[in-house]
Amino acid sequence: MAIAGGILALAALGWLLFWILLRLPLVSFAVALALLVAALTAPVSRGLRRAGLPAGLAALGAVLALLAVLLGIGFLVGFRATSTIQGLTRPLAAGIDRIRVWLIEGPLGLDAQQVSDLRNQVVNRLYQFAPDPAAGARMVVYVLGAIILIAFLVFFLLKDGATMWAWLLDRVPARRRDQVDGAGRAAWTTLASYVRGTVLVALIDAVGIGIGLLVLGVPLWISLTLLTFVGAFVPIVGATVSGAVAVLVTLVTNGTTDAIIILAVVLVVQQIEGNVLQPLIMGHALNLHPAAILIAVTAGGLLLGVAGALLAVPFVAVSYRVLEHLRLHPAEPERAEPERAEPGPAEPEPPPLGERTVLPVDDAPAPRSAHAAGA
């Protein structure tokens, strides 16, 4: 009964925590993203500490380096991509129209009304992704607030992360402290491996597909390269969607031949990613079946949208590693206290030091005679 009650209590606590996270999406997403960014920038902070900087300055330097990289990408690519997002949706809509005509008049001969209804739904969704100026301004304020919160959280995680973890371990029972400490370290190692590997894989994907788009002279190659880089952070689904968008835009702007070439480039890059880069770079950090990854991405997207799709795989990978560590490293058994000996009869206490023992008169030694003394 006690074990069942404990399991029910833990389940209720987990459900309550999950409900709170869903009610506060900005805070939940900021904390999760801060953990990812801290795992990514931890080597920079450690390097600055080895160079002689104190913990606070090392953490600040890592955060400033990260902000500089993000701002550079924003100025060079992000603003241009935002300004051309309307131009990106129009070619996509035109490409869908060409596919619609082929589905109706081509060898498949599908029903025109059904294909048109499907086309209208897809095009309406595409135009919904292009925000109006007011929504764009609100989004900028929202994103800036999230970036500031994430920057502060990353700073304190890099500066006081070890202290925070030690404080948490002090609240754990002694016999489970080593087990929890090992699980936490396994989770952090998995998270760091996932983030660094994903960034490297996304960069390689974006460079490979971006070079193909640039060589063929696709007008929106910078925006498509950025979309490929961001899409790589959502396993399986992101790469498929970004590749399809690149092919459709190339089909409209450059024609069928270039679209087939880009399709071949996308397929080759994704095959290299799945069969070479993922096993080589990620190693055994994730060790998740593709079906589990697909289910996690789908569930995260349904629950929290794009943010849920981004965070689903690292959450599942970290949870899996923690459970595996707890399974393979059980807690230390409780040690029984040694039994105390039964008290025996009280022994007489020795006389205090410094006090002479007075013997009875009968037992006192007889004084020696003068003759004996002279002898």
Side-chain angles (χ1 to χ4, degrees):
M1 292 298 294
I3 297 177
I7 294 175
L8 291 177
L10 288 176
L13 182 60
W15 179 86
L16 179 61
L17 180 61
F18 187 72
W19 181 82
I20 294 174
L21 293 178
L22 291 179
R23 297 291 294 179
L24 301 173
L26 176 59
V27 177
S28 303
F29 182 68
V31 172
L33 195 57
L35 289 172
L36 294 174
V37 174
L40 179 64
T41 56
V44 179
S45 178
R46 285 197 299 267
L48 294 176
R49 288 192 185 188
R50 293 192 191 101
L53 292 180
L57 290 180
L60 181 61
V63 172
L64 292 178
L66 177 66
L67 290 178
V69 172
L70 293 178
L71 290 176
I73 293 175
F75 278 111
L76 294 177
V77 180
F79 291 148
R80 187 181 185 280
T82 303
S83 64
T84 58
I85 193 169
Q86 290 287 351
L88 186 62
T89 54
R90 293 191 185 95
L92 286 176
I96 293 173
D97 282 335
R98 295 184 62 174
I99 295 175
R100 177 182 63 85
V101 173
W102 181 82
L103 291 175
I104 296 173
E105 300 179 359
L108 296 179
L110 299 180
D111 182 69
Q113 184 62 38
Q114 294 180 354
V115 174
S116 298
D117 292 341
L118 181 60
R119 177 261 176 198
N120 293 334
Q121 294 178 6
V122 174
V123 171
N124 290 335
R125 288 293 183 90
L126 288 175
Y127 279 103
Q128 288 176 3
F129 286 132
D132 57 1
R138 289 194 299 269
M139 181 61 66
V140 168
V141 174
Y142 188 85
V143 170
L144 286 178
I147 289 176
I148 293 174
L149 177 59
I150 291 170
F152 275 100
L153 289 175
V154 171
F155 171 78
F156 286 114
L157 286 172
L158 294 177
K159 177 179 176 292
D160 301 324
T163 306
M164 295 177 182
W165 183 243
W167 182 85
L168 288 175
L169 287 178
D170 288 340
R171 272 69 189 168
V172 177
R175 71 185 189 90
R176 292 189 176 273
R177 195 164 295 159
D178 291 339
Q179 184 190 33
V180 173
D181 185 35
R185 295 181 185 278
W188 182 256
T189 302
T190 302
L191 188 64
S193 300
Y194 171 80
V195 175
R196 295 166 196 163
T198 302
V199 170
L200 185 57
V201 170
L203 185 62
I204 295 174
D205 285 354
V207 170
I209 297 176
I211 290 175
L213 295 170
L214 177 61
V215 169
L216 294 177
V218 179
L220 300 174
W221 71 273
I222 295 181
S223 300
L224 294 173
T225 302
L226 176 64
L227 180 64
T228 302
F229 178 79
V230 175
F233 285 87
V234 182
I236 301 176
V237 178
T240 303
V241 172
S242 60
V245 171
V247 172
L248 280 176
V249 172
T250 306
L251 175 65
V252 174
T253 57
N254 289 41
T256 306
T257 303
D258 288 352
I260 294 175
I261 295 174
I262 290 299
L263 177 60
V265 171
V266 169
L267 292 177
V268 169
V269 169
Q270 291 183 357
Q271 287 299 315
I272 294 175
E273 172 198 341
N275 298 321
V276 178
L277 297 179
Q278 289 283 356
L280 183 63
I281 296 175
M282 296 291 191
H284 298 285
L286 297 184
N287 196 21
L288 295 177
H289 194 275
I293 294 177
L294 184 60
I295 293 173
V297 172
T298 304
L302 292 176
L303 289 174
L304 297 174
V306 177
L310 288 172
L311 299 176
V313 175
F315 175 78
V316 173
V318 168
S319 301
Y320 171 74
R321 283 296 178 186
V322 169
L323 293 176
E324 279 294 292
H325 183 88
L326 295 178
R327 182 180 68 85
L328 298 176
H329 300 82
E332 296 181 0
E334 295 184 359
R335 297 178 180 177
E337 296 184 359
E339 297 182 0
R340 296 181 179 180
E342 293 294 334
E347 298 181 357
E349 296 183 359
L353 296 177
E355 296 185 4
R356 296 183 179 180
T357 303
V358 180
L359 298 177
V361 177
D362 296 338
D363 297 334
R368 291 181 296 176
S369 63
H371 176 70

